[in-house]
Amino acid sequence: MSAVTLDAEVQLSWWGRKTRESLLFSTINGIIRNPQGMVAILGLVLLVVGAVGAPVIAQHDPIAQDSAGRFLSPSTENWFGTDELRRDLFSRTLFGLRASLAVSLISVAVGTSIGVTIGFLAGFIGGILEAAAMRLVDALLAFPGLIAALAILNILGPGVRSIGIAIAFFTIPAFARLARAQMLAEKNKDYVLASQALGARPVRIIFRHIAINAFPPLLTQMALLMAVAVLITAALSFLGLGDNPPAPSLGGLLNVSRQYLREAWWYAVCPGAVFALLLFCLNLLSDAINEASSPYQRRR
């Protein structure tokens, strides 16, 4: 390799590193400076700490029955009250939140990885591979998310693992289409052509150079689909297709609480408030990421 080519490659590598640092810093800074972003981050941190630390924070065993009485109202002993079997609702809500977050995060991460890889490769290579991949993605998009999830659960059987597979299956097409669109917008730009001229391999160009510049819309989509995944998890648990009783889940708590709304209002309100806060923070975060990564919003 000649000295000129080596020097050009070093300069390109330095420029790419500075661009990545600048883009990442500007996006994070934009989220933090946005009031919506700060509210979303603080709310999500609070919920994640509660979910991860559920075994320590929870005052009672989530499946243990207390002989003191059923339908006890919220108090210092039982923060969210108790249910029809004298189980502590605060503990059950924390463990149900933990299960919902774990299933949603893992399934969306798996679906994102597969969908982004398919979209990037299809958009970069083009030709027959792109046409075949996109027709397959279009076929998957023809099925509504909840209907597809029910079909998968009917095949695999109910359970947390089946719900995770169903959500991952649902997220793949959305990320594949978005990643392909980002690839088509980036692959003919000067920095990509310069990398190709220096002999960089396609995999390095895609995942080291193009992916960095394409990540903000993908982050926004990921935050949105996390909210959708939480909804689907709760909906399937509401229908009795999630964790088997007595294991707690947010959807299961909301489903059972319908029968006791007049006797115990807190049964539905407390788990429902936690569920609503989670969705609210995820939607705020997606809006903050979108504004932080949008050149139009930055100019404003």
Side-chain angles (χ1 to χ4, degrees), residues 169-227:
F169 177 83
F170 165 73
T171 58
I172 289 174
F175 279 103
R177 289 179 64 89
L178 182 58
R180 172 181 171 269
Q182 291 297 109
M183 175 60 65
L184 293 177
E186 295 287 334
K187 73 175 185 177
N188 291 322
K189 291 187 176 180
D190 291 342
Y191 72 93
V192 178
L193 299 177
S195 299
Q196 292 174 337
L198 292 171
R201 295 181 179 181
V203 174
R204 179 183 177 87
I205 295 174
I206 293 172
F207 295 104
R208 183 173 176 82
H209 298 296
I210 297 178
I212 298 299
N213 293 286
F215 87 93
L218 296 174
L219 282 180
T220 304
Q221 183 76 358
M222 192 172 183
L224 285 173
L225 285 183
M226 269 292 297

Side-chain angles (χ1 to χ4, degrees), residues 119-285:
F120 278 167
L121 292 177
F124 189 82
I125 297 173
I128 298 177
L129 176 63
E130 180 185 12
M134 288 303 103
R135 296 299 75 75
L136 177 61
V137 168
D138 291 340
L140 295 178
L141 283 173
F143 298 95
L146 189 56
I147 301 300
L150 290 173
I152 293 174
L153 288 173
N154 188 42
I155 296 172
L156 301 179
V160 175
R161 185 179 65 178
S162 300
I163 291 178
I165 294 173
I167 294 174
F169 177 83
F170 165 73
T171 58
I172 289 174
F175 279 103
R177 289 179 64 89
L178 182 58
R180 172 181 171 269
Q182 291 297 109
M183 175 60 65
L184 293 177
E186 295 287 334
K187 73 175 185 177
N188 291 322
K189 291 187 176 180
D190 291 342
Y191 72 93
V192 178
L193 299 177
S195 299
Q196 292 174 337
L198 292 171
R201 295 181 179 181
V203 174
R204 179 183 177 87
I205 295 174
I206 293 172
F207 295 104
R208 183 173 176 82
H209 298 296
I210 297 178
I212 298 299
N213 293 286
F215 87 93
L218 296 174
L219 282 180
T220 304
Q221 183 76 358
M222 192 172 183
L224 285 173
L225 285 183
M226 269 292 297
V228 175
V230 170
L231 277 173
I232 292 179
T233 303
L236 294 174
S237 298
F238 186 87
L239 296 174
L241 300 174
D243 282 333
N244 295 322
S249 64
L250 291 180
L253 289 174
L254 294 176
N255 182 28
V256 177
S257 66
R258 295 181 303 154
Q259 310 171 38
Y260 308 106
L261 288 176
R262 294 188 177 182
E263 299 177 65
W265 57 266
W266 56 88
Y267 199 163
V269 170
C270 293
V274 172
F275 181 63
L277 177 62
L278 176 58
L279 294 178
F280 178 69
C281 291
L282 287 172
N283 280 280
L284 282 184
L285 181 61

Side-chain angles (χ1 to χ4, degrees), residues 1-2 13 46 57 74 94 100 190 196 202 208 224 238 240 243 271:
M1 180 181 295
S2 66
S13 177
L46 177 64
I57 299 174
L94 286 184
S100 296
D190 291 342
Q196 292 174 337
R208 183 173 176 82
L224 285 173
F238 186 87
D243 282 333

Side-chain angles (χ1 to χ4, degrees), residues 57-90:
I57 299 174
Q59 298 175 314
H60 304 278
D61 190 327
I63 61 175
Q65 300 181 15
D66 186 0
S67 59
R70 64 196 297 261
F71 291 137
L72 295 177
S73 60
S75 63
T76 55
E77 178 66 21
N78 304 103
W79 291 357
F80 286 1
T82 61
D83 63 5
E84 75 282 4
L85 297 177
R86 304 178 297 277
R87 295 172 297 194
D88 182 62
L89 281 177
F90 180 70

Side-chain angles (χ1 to χ4, degrees), residues 77-126:
E77 178 66 21
N78 304 103
W79 291 357
F80 286 1
T82 61
D83 63 5
E84 75 282 4
L85 297 177
R86 304 178 297 277
R87 295 172 297 194
D88 182 62
L89 281 177
F90 180 70
S91 301
R92 292 181 64 77
T93 300
L94 286 184
F95 278 91
L97 174 65
R98 188 184 192 186
S100 296
L101 283 176
V103 172
S104 302
L105 182 59
I106 295 173
S107 57
V108 170
V110 172
T112 300
S113 301
I114 297 174
V116 168
T117 302
I118 293 173
F120 278 167
L121 292 177
F124 189 82
I125 297 173

